[in-house]
Amino acid sequence: MTNQVTAGSPSAPPGEPPPGAARVLAALDAVRDPELDEPITSLGFVSLCTVSTGGDAQIRLRLPTYFCAPNFAFLMVADAYDAVSALPGVRTTEVVLDDHFASDAINGGVAARAGFARSFDGEAVGELHELRADFLRKAVMAGTDLVCRPLAAAGTGPAELAALTLGQAPPSAALERLRQRRAELGLPAGDDAPLLIDPATGAPLRDDAVPLHLRKARTTRVSIEANAGVCRGMLRHRYGTSGLGEEEQ
């Protein structure tokens, strides 16, 4: 049985009207599956989003399988709680993960703001900061492929790519996403930052390191996109309905 625990977020300022469900759903666009680097909304993971006239928000989440990794699930539930609780006009927030083997521990732990280790006492060895960083580094690699592949196809060589800065790269949604992921990791993301860096250290790449780096970036991007496709297919098979804000593929 799912443990439905309501946790109070900071009270809204007096007279602050509660946000509509559409605004809450928009806030959930910022919550990503850490492995797939896609919003839980576009993936179809949000099954319910309501706000009462008093500002009490309720979110229900679902995942592709009963045995999805609990650490990934915990991050998404906790991030959803934080995103919704931060909205002006929200008085309390309840985020419920349904149909998951660890839903009791996850829902109760997030509601109590207990953290992952305390929520899985005796089973978890620590918090999830490094796990999140690992997946962000993979997102940086995948984003690097999306930005550099068109440049390489147009004839830009390794030495030229190594010399490019973010500000010199052609503007695109992929470039902005790459900047955002780098900034989240604390990596250089300004116009004068090198386009090609080591995602672990932020150090610029030498010319001779570019070909291998781009091959790794492409492999990472293909793997993430393939996993996202599998997850979408499994979710649709499991539930047969679209989630709120889901993007059709």
Side-chain angles (χ1 to χ4, degrees):
M1 175 179 293
T2 300
N3 179 20
Q4 300 185 22
V5 181
T6 301
S9 55
S11 297
E16 186 77 45
R23 189 174 172 196
V24 174
L25 193 63
L28 292 172
D29 286 341
V31 178
R32 305 192 301 270
D33 180 304
E35 182 183 24
L36 306 180
D37 194 40
E38 289 194 41
I40 59 173
T41 46
S42 65
L43 287 166
F45 293 174
V46 181
S47 60
L48 177 75
C49 176
T50 64
V51 187
S52 74
T53 56
D56 302 312
Q58 184 186 57
I59 312 299
R60 301 190 80 93
L61 304 181
R62 61 187 190 174
L63 295 175
T65 76
Y66 184 72
F67 291 105
C68 285
N71 46 4
F72 300 169
F74 188 93
L75 283 173
M76 287 184 275
V77 173
D79 288 352
Y81 178 94
D82 290 342
V84 174
S85 297
L87 288 174
V90 170
R91 181 176 63 179
T92 64
T93 301
E94 179 186 38
V95 181
V96 175
L97 174 63
D98 289 317
D99 305 329
H100 189 274
F101 81 96
S103 57
D104 284 352
I106 292 171
N107 295 334
V110 169
R113 315 308 288 149
F116 183 71
R118 285 176 55 200
S119 300
F120 289 85
D121 190 25
E123 301 176 53
V125 296
E127 293 304 322
L128 302 175
H129 310 303
E130 187 54 36
L131 177 71
R132 192 191 294 274
D134 283 343
F135 281 117
L136 275 172
R137 285 189 279 268
K138 290 182 180 180
V140 167
M141 289 295 284
T144 298
D145 178 67
L146 289 172
V147 172
C148 290
R149 197 156 28 97
L151 295 173
T156 307
E160 295 170 288
L161 286 172
L164 278 179
T165 65
L166 290 174
Q168 292 169 331
S172 67
L175 179 63
E176 289 310 305
R177 180 168 168 162
L178 177 60
R179 285 182 186 267
Q180 291 168 10
R181 300 301 182 267
R182 284 170 55 157
E184 287 179 50
L185 275 170
L187 298 173
D191 283 347
D192 59 346
L195 173 60
L196 295 180
I197 61 172
D198 182 331
T201 65
L205 296 185
R206 301 189 315 271
D207 297 1
D208 60 355
V210 170
L212 178 58
H213 185 79
L214 292 184
R215 286 197 293 273
K216 289 180 177 179
R218 182 180 186 279
T219 299
T220 302
R221 192 261 310 164
V222 169
S223 176
I224 291 174
E225 290 180 356
N227 286 339
V230 169
C231 285
R232 282 190 168 93
M234 294 175 72
L235 187 77
R236 181 57 58 88
H237 178 75
R238 188 180 190 194
Y239 290 104
T241 58
S242 297
L244 301 181
E246 181 175 359
E247 293 179 359
E248 297 298 331
Q249 300 296 308

